[in-house]
Amino acid sequence: MLPWAHERSVQLRLIEPGKPNQNAYIESFNGRFRDECLNEHWFPSLLHARTGIETWRREYNEKRPKKALGRLTPSTYAKQLKDA
């Protein structure tokens, strides 16, 4: 990953070990994804995993309004930002 990031001028910012609060948003998302998707389904194949995860992702982004986004879904909010 380091060579890939360097070639593309991507600056990597790592959190300190034991300090997940430095990236609370992604830690919250990871917990929700684990609890609502990964822990709830048995994926007997890679295809099944891809399908199940994509279904969860679409529901999360297109059907669930988020309080932090003014009760909009992430996809609606992103569209508003794009159109503005």
Side-chain angles (χ1 to χ4, degrees), residues 19-31:
K19 304 272 185 172
N21 60 334
Q22 291 178 344
N23 196 355
Y25 172 78
I26 196 64
E27 291 298 324
S28 174
F29 173 81
N30 286 344

Side-chain angles (χ1 to χ4, degrees), residues 32 36 51-67 69-78:
R32 186 170 292 113
E36 295 177 7
T51 303
I53 291 168
E54 178 62 13
T55 299
W56 182 87
R57 186 193 68 79
R58 284 181 183 244
E59 184 211 334
Y60 184 85
N61 286 320
E62 297 172 7
K63 295 181 181 172
R64 291 191 199 175
K66 308 291 187 268
K67 187 176 182 180
L69 302 178
R71 298 276 181 211
L72 297 173
T73 64
S75 58
T76 303
Y77 183 76

Side-chain angles (χ1 to χ4, degrees), residues 1 12 45 49 58 76 79:
M1 179 156 168
L12 299 176
S45 69
R58 284 181 183 244
T76 303
K79 185 177 184 318

